[in-house]
């Protein structure tokens, strides 16, 4: 059982990755992202997830440096965007992200989406960054089973993480099982369904039962499935609330009830059909 915000999963290469992190998708560069990261670090978070396309890496970096927390205690993720995919362009994109973050190394670097004809060359660049010690772990985001199989057929290093849309309306059981079988850590983006957890009667009922918020119920469900989760908020009270997950446990029956909400519904793009 995951008992503390300090608990972490161990990736295939032995790197420790905190189970809970702060996501900063659509958090504005400048004061908003700096405050959000500061709230999280003050609340005990040590895992921050950004991306080049979020255009807030500089603010994340400033907040991290202002925190005074030792670098080795932090876990920072960023991602290469689709237009920069390819071998040389990925290497250049990584260096730009690293400079913006103001870091000597990044803990986890991900391919943001599986761009056809490009993700294998992109992965080769990630392998070089990993070999050179500029990243502690490498992985992918929004990869389906067939993408992973295709990538692993020629990869020298297996992806250590797959970050995908995951919540009770999109349980991705086949993909989750495949990743567990292959030793690839599953990670959830949009875990609270962009706020729609408050509109689902079953989740609201469970929140009342456990004396928790609907978001806390779903985030705990993630953790009990062995899924790293990165909820996003810019409000101090919500950032703190999202971390209050370690004083209760969902029963097996209630876990199954949440699993049963699956309707294959995405709030983000389809990894097999996107045009950006």
């Amino acid at each position: 059982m995951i008992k503390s915000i300090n608990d972490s999963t161990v990736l295939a290469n032995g790197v420790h990755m905190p189970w809970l992190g702060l996501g900063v998708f659509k958090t504005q560069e400048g004061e908003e992202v700096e405050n959000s990261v500061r709230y999280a670090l003050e609340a005990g978070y040590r895992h921050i997830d950004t991306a080049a396309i979020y255009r807030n890496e500089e603010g994340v970096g400033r907040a991290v440096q202002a925190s005074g927390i030792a670098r080795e205690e932090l876990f920072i993720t960023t991602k290469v965007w689709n237009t920069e995919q390819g071998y040389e362009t990925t290497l250049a994109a990584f260096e730009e992200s690293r400079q913006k973050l103001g870091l000597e190394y990044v803990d986890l670097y991900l391919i943001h989406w599986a761009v056809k004809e490009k993700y294998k060359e992109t992965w080769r660049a990630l392998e070089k960054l990993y070999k050179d010690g500029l990243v502690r772990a490498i992985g992918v985001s929004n990869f389906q089973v067939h993408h992973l199989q295709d990538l692993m057929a020629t990869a020298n290093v297996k992806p250590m993480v797959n970050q995908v849309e995951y919540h009770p309306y999109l349980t991705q059981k086949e993909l989750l099982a495949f990743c567990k079988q292959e030793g690839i850590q599953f990670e959830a983006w949009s875990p609270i369904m962009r706020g729609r957890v408050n509109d689902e009667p079953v989740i609201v009922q469970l929140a009342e039962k456990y004396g928790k918020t609907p978001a806390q119920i779903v985030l705990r469900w993630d953790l009990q499935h062995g899924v790293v989760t990165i909820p996003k908020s810019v409000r101090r009270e919500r950032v703190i609330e999202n971390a209050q997950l370690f004083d209760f446990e969902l029963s097996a029956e209630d876990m199954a009830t949440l699993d049963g909400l699956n309707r294959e519904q995405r709030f983000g793009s389809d990894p097999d059909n996107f045009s950006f």
Side-chain angles (χ1 to χ4, degrees):
M1 178 179 170
I2 300 164
K3 297 181 178 180
S4 161
I5 195 171
N6 298 313
D7 286 353
S8 57
T9 182
V10 181
L11 302 182
N13 67 341
V15 166
H16 286 250
M17 178 182 189
W19 285 106
L20 181 69
L22 175 78
V24 296
F25 175 58
K26 290 191 175 178
T27 305
Q28 291 183 353
E29 170 60 38
E31 186 177 356
E32 185 173 77
V33 74
E34 289 177 51
N35 284 340
S36 180
V37 173
R38 178 166 58 84
Y39 301 152
L41 296 176
E42 289 173 352
Y45 292 71
R46 292 296 180 263
H47 174 183
I48 309 295
D49 181 282
T50 185
I53 195 63
Y54 301 170
R55 294 183 169 83
N56 56 20
E57 290 169 311
E58 289 171 305
V60 168
R62 285 192 297 271
V64 163
Q65 284 145 36
S67 73
I69 296 168
R71 175 67 183 92
E72 60 270 20
E73 294 182 23
L74 299 170
F75 191 95
I76 311 298
T77 299
T78 192
K79 313 174 192 80
V80 58
W81 184 241
N82 303 346
T83 53
E84 306 307 314
Q85 285 198 39
Y87 184 76
E88 295 293 347
T89 45
T90 293
L91 294 178
F94 172 81
E95 184 57 23
E96 184 176 348
S97 287
R98 190 180 71 83
Q99 294 289 341
K100 286 180 175 178
L101 287 163
L103 302 175
E104 289 188 11
Y105 64 90
V106 170
D107 296 280
L108 177 64
Y109 198 45
L110 303 178
I111 299 178
H112 210 147
W113 292 83
V115 177
K116 291 178 183 178
E117 313 301 329
K118 285 193 175 182
Y119 63 75
K120 285 196 172 188
E121 280 297 286
T122 305
W123 187 252
R124 194 164 66 85
L126 266 62
E127 289 181 332
K128 175 174 171 51
L129 294 167
Y130 178 59
K131 181 181 177 183
D132 290 349
L134 291 167
V135 293
R136 297 176 65 229
I138 52 176
V140 296
S141 183
N142 303 302
F143 273 49
Q144 305 279 59
V145 170
H146 68 92
H147 295 128
L148 290 166
Q149 290 172 326
D150 183 48
L151 183 63
M152 292 190 300
T154 55
N156 293 312
V157 179
K158 185 186 289 188
M160 296 157 196
V161 173
N162 187 20
Q163 184 188 116
V164 301
E165 183 177 356
Y166 177 81
H167 44 70
Y169 285 176
L170 185 69
T171 56
Q172 306 234 49
K173 289 182 180 177
E174 179 191 359
L175 182 58
L176 177 57
F178 179 84
C179 287
K180 285 189 174 181
Q181 174 189 319
E182 294 292 334
I184 300 169
Q185 177 61 51
F186 211 72
E187 182 177 15
W189 63 256
S190 198
I192 53 178
M193 309 189 316
R194 299 184 178 171
R196 291 173 178 86
V197 289
N198 298 305
D199 302 326
E200 170 49 57
V202 170
I203 297 173
V204 171
Q205 287 166 12
L206 287 174
E208 292 170 356
K209 173 182 174 179
Y210 286 90
K212 290 290 181 177
T213 67
Q216 288 168 331
I217 294 296
V218 172
L219 295 173
R220 184 71 214 181
W221 173 80
D222 281 358
L223 298 180
Q224 288 182 220
H225 271 309
V227 175
V228 171
T229 189
I230 47 169
K232 173 243 173 156
S233 183
V234 298
R235 292 168 51 197
R236 184 197 293 268
E237 61 272 22
R238 189 59 54 78
V239 169
I240 293 170
E241 193 176 83
N242 286 343
Q244 294 171 341
L245 309 174
F246 307 102
D247 57 352
F248 77 108
E249 186 172 8
L250 297 170
S251 70
E253 181 183 15
D254 291 334
M255 288 289 290
T257 296
L258 289 168
D259 291 348
L261 293 176
N262 182 54
R263 54 178 75 168
E264 302 299 326
Q265 181 178 352
R266 294 184 183 276
F267 297 108
S269 298
D270 182 347
D272 282 323
N273 185 27
F274 65 92
S275 59
F276 44 80

